[in-house]
Amino acid sequence: WFSTDGARIVDAAGNTVRLAGVNWFGFESDTFAPHGLWTRGYAEMMDQMVSLGFNTIRLPFSSEMLRTSAAPNGIGFSQNPDLAGLSAIEIMDRIVDYAGEIGLRVILDHHRSTAGAGTSGNGLWYGEGGHTEESWIADWEMLAARYADDPTVIGADLHNEPHAGTWGGGGPTDWARAAEAAGDAIGAVNPNWLILVEGVGAYQGDSYWW
């Protein structure tokens, strides 16, 4: 497992870890599966990631993907025969399993509440499609428990680009408060994960690239 030491990420022996990550979009979209599977096999694509020098996949997902009963789509089953009949989260399991076989690590990224492209429309970690802050935390607790014994999954990127959030002061848009609550909830289930907290769009009158 990895942990932090000041500004460093370190392994169990205290050695500095360099994460060279690549996003693999798709689970957050209405395909409910990684993109490109309509053309190529997932194992072939992941082998290519390793050959290009990446050691980590940032795997975006939506709250809707975790809860939908819709079948994943956009998959060429001739290239991915072992994904036939699987649910979205079972495909995620398969991606994680193969990542572990070839030495890749995985950071899970809550990208959106509802399925779609890009960041969440309201710039918050909840509030679209009936998804609440409580259900967002519950989703993270579920994932933390699901992968608790698998060192392939190293962390939680709590929410992608929460640009409409505030920082401090309390209230429903206080991202500092919400991120701490989610991180604490994850840690209670799975203390081994890194917790990644992205920034907000503006703080005390200054704008930032979140």
Side-chain angles (χ1 to χ4, degrees):
W1 301 104
F2 296 154
S3 60
T4 56
D5 179 14
R8 296 188 306 142
I9 297 174
V10 297
D11 64 16
N15 301 308
T16 298
V17 171
R18 176 178 176 269
L19 299 181
V22 58
N23 281 299
W24 194 2
F25 291 102
F27 274 123
E28 84 288 358
S29 75
D30 57 10
T31 68
F32 303 117
H35 285 163
L37 299 184
W38 50 77
T39 300
R40 299 174 62 190
Y42 71 89
E44 177 193 354
M45 286 192 276
M46 295 170 71
D47 290 341
Q48 183 182 13
M49 295 174 197
V50 173
S51 73
L52 292 172
F54 295 107
N55 62 20
T56 307
I57 302 172
R58 179 176 180 258
L59 204 58
F61 67 91
S62 68
S63 300
E64 184 176 346
M65 168 249 157
L66 298 177
R67 297 166 178 268
T68 186
S69 60
N73 62 89
I75 300 173
F77 292 114
S78 59
Q79 296 93 345
N80 299 278
D82 58 330
L83 302 185
L86 299 185
S87 68
I89 199 164
E90 288 170 339
I91 292 176
M92 181 179 281
D93 292 341
R94 195 63 56 90
I95 298 296
V96 168
D97 287 346
Y98 191 66
E101 290 180 24
I102 61 176
L104 287 169
R105 302 296 183 104
V106 173
I107 293 171
L108 300 177
D109 155 47
H110 181 267
H111 212 72
R112 305 171 49 87
S113 295
T114 56
T119 190
S120 56
N122 68 357
L124 299 172
W125 51 99
Y126 69 97
E128 295 183 332
H131 298 282
T132 65
E133 183 173 298
E134 291 74 20
S135 65
W136 167 71
I137 292 176
D139 288 343
W140 273 124
E141 290 173 319
M142 180 275 291
L143 291 168
R146 190 179 189 92
Y147 299 117
D149 298 323
D150 190 343
T152 300
V153 184
I154 61 172
D157 188 346
L158 294 178
H159 181 69
N160 178 72
E161 300 179 357
H163 55 86
T166 53
W167 190 263
T173 64
D174 184 351
W175 175 232
R177 171 200 56 77
E180 185 172 359
D184 287 347
I186 290 169
V189 175
N190 179 352
N192 294 312
W193 274 8
L194 300 172
I195 304 298
L196 291 81
V197 183
E198 301 190 33
V200 297
Y203 177 67
Q204 294 184 349
D206 291 327
S207 295
Y208 294 89
W209 177 246
W210 52 85

